[in-house]
Amino acid sequence: MTFADPSAPPPSDLIKDGSDASFMQDVIEASKSQPVIVDFWATWCGPCRTLGPLLEKNVRAAGGKVKMVKIDVDANPAFAGQLRVQSIPTVYAFVNGQPVDGFQGAVPESQIKAFIDRLTGGAGANADVEQLLQLGEESLKLQDLGGAAQAFAQVLTLDRANETAIAGMARVYLADGDAEQALQTIAMAPADSKNAAVQAVRAQLSLASKATGPANELAAKVEANPSDHAARFELAQSYAASGDFGEAVNQLLKIIEADREWNEQAARRELLTVFEAAGTMSDVSKDGRRRLSSILFG
């Protein structure tokens, strides 16, 4: 997820009236350069008349770091419907073509300021980054890929070079089976990054590139011939490619236990890559190293 760093636009370009016809250009495309706030309102809505001026005031105060588009839902119902706007005012923030934050109702100005700070990296942004990174991790553990993607995207609105968030987005793509997009995303981190999350993703991508077949077919092959180390090695790679590091470790340790020198210690070398992909301090890696030591020195 990359962002341009344009100079502040003229005041007349910061806030505009939008429509369903112009939504793609004014919001989706524009948000690929800088955050865009969308205010869904209607002429008959009293709270909208309170919220709108406060939003405009704080958007202008941001000095060009964010834009605002106002959408009259009566005249332009299409995108409001797609975004499931059920009451107004409803406000969304778009970054890189996706909604990443929002709220409903005429909230206090302090909340509006905090909302814009999250988008522009203003006061309080560092605390938000840590909370959002934790939320992204928790969402990934629960297989809530949409929630994880939203959390990591919000971090990148606050800190565009945050390597942990970059790695988080790549992990979302990996979990969704899109290794190509994960590869493009992790390439945003420096090539010599020492960030553990970045290194883990790169290790998992390396493992994914080696996978030769679906796990169920390879598992059947191993079950038919448990001494087929080559098939078991491929099975381990398949598990690792899908993110099942625990089972990948199990299969590699079985090879090492049966023949630690097999294929010039290929299983042991692959095991180290799996540990890196899982995270060197993860429970999977800690348990795997303990079991490996037991096999080698027990």
Side-chain angles (χ1 to χ4, degrees):
M1 188 177 297
T2 55
F3 300 95
D5 203 2
S7 58
S12 61
D13 191 47
L14 286 176
I15 300 166
K16 64 170 60 177
D17 291 314
S19 66
D20 286 336
S22 66
F23 195 91
M24 290 299 295
Q25 178 180 346
D26 291 344
V27 178
I28 303 301
E29 292 302 321
S31 71
K32 294 177 181 179
S33 298
Q34 67 188 119
V36 176
I37 293 173
V38 183
D39 177 20
F40 290 100
W41 69 288
T43 55
W44 49 263
C45 169
C48 297
R49 292 194 292 272
T50 300
L51 179 68
L54 290 177
L55 276 172
E56 294 183 24
K57 171 187 172 184
N58 284 276
V59 166
R60 290 192 177 95
K65 294 180 180 178
V66 63
K67 289 185 176 182
M68 176 178 167
V69 176
K70 299 183 292 184
I71 302 288
D72 182 340
V73 297
D74 287 339
N76 303 279
F79 281 95
Q82 288 184 27
L83 291 165
R84 299 180 181 177
V85 174
Q86 297 179 343
S87 64
I88 53 174
T90 290
V91 175
Y92 278 106
F94 279 75
V95 173
N96 201 35
Q98 298 291 329
V100 298
D101 202 354
F103 61 85
Q104 291 182 337
V107 302
E109 186 170 7
S110 60
Q111 189 171 331
I112 293 172
K113 289 180 178 178
F115 177 71
I116 293 177
D117 279 344
R118 289 198 297 272
L119 293 171
T120 62
N126 289 337
D128 284 332
V129 164
E130 292 305 315
Q131 292 176 359
L132 288 167
L133 288 174
Q134 290 177 14
L135 177 60
E137 289 296 328
E138 292 169 3
S139 298
L140 269 177
K141 289 178 182 178
L142 295 172
Q143 294 297 304
D144 177 10
L145 301 186
Q150 183 172 341
F152 292 129
Q154 283 185 253
V155 172
L156 291 172
T157 69
L158 301 171
D159 179 4
R160 300 175 185 183
N162 189 292
E163 294 181 23
T164 302
I166 291 171
M169 287 298 296
R171 288 164 60 203
V172 169
Y173 287 122
L174 276 171
D176 197 37
D178 193 344
E180 181 178 351
Q181 187 61 51
L183 187 62
Q184 292 178 13
T185 301
I186 204 64
M188 291 164 50
D192 59 352
S193 172
K194 303 300 181 185
N195 181 284
V198 171
Q199 292 179 337
V201 169
R202 286 177 172 157
Q204 187 176 354
L205 282 166
S206 174
L207 291 167
S209 69
K210 302 173 186 176
T212 58
N216 59 343
E217 294 180 6
L218 293 166
K221 191 174 181 180
V222 169
E223 185 176 358
N225 183 7
S227 63
D228 186 346
H229 297 330
R232 192 179 295 279
F233 188 79
E234 291 180 2
L235 177 60
Q237 290 178 320
S238 181
Y239 281 131
S242 67
D244 190 347
F245 302 120
E247 194 53 46
V249 168
N250 289 339
Q251 298 301 325
L252 292 168
L253 286 174
K254 285 180 181 180
I255 296 174
I256 296 170
E257 188 172 22
D259 182 358
R260 66 182 65 179
E261 298 298 327
W262 176 77
N263 197 20
E264 298 181 349
Q265 298 189 357
R268 188 173 175 180
R269 293 197 305 273
E270 194 75 352
L271 189 62
L272 297 178
T273 303
V274 173
F275 289 162
E276 186 175 14
T280 56
M281 299 306 295
S282 66
D283 291 340
V284 167
S285 297
K286 290 177 181 178
D287 180 65
R289 285 195 294 270
R290 179 188 58 77
R291 293 165 60 192
L292 177 63
S293 296
S294 178
I295 292 171
L296 297 178
F297 308 111

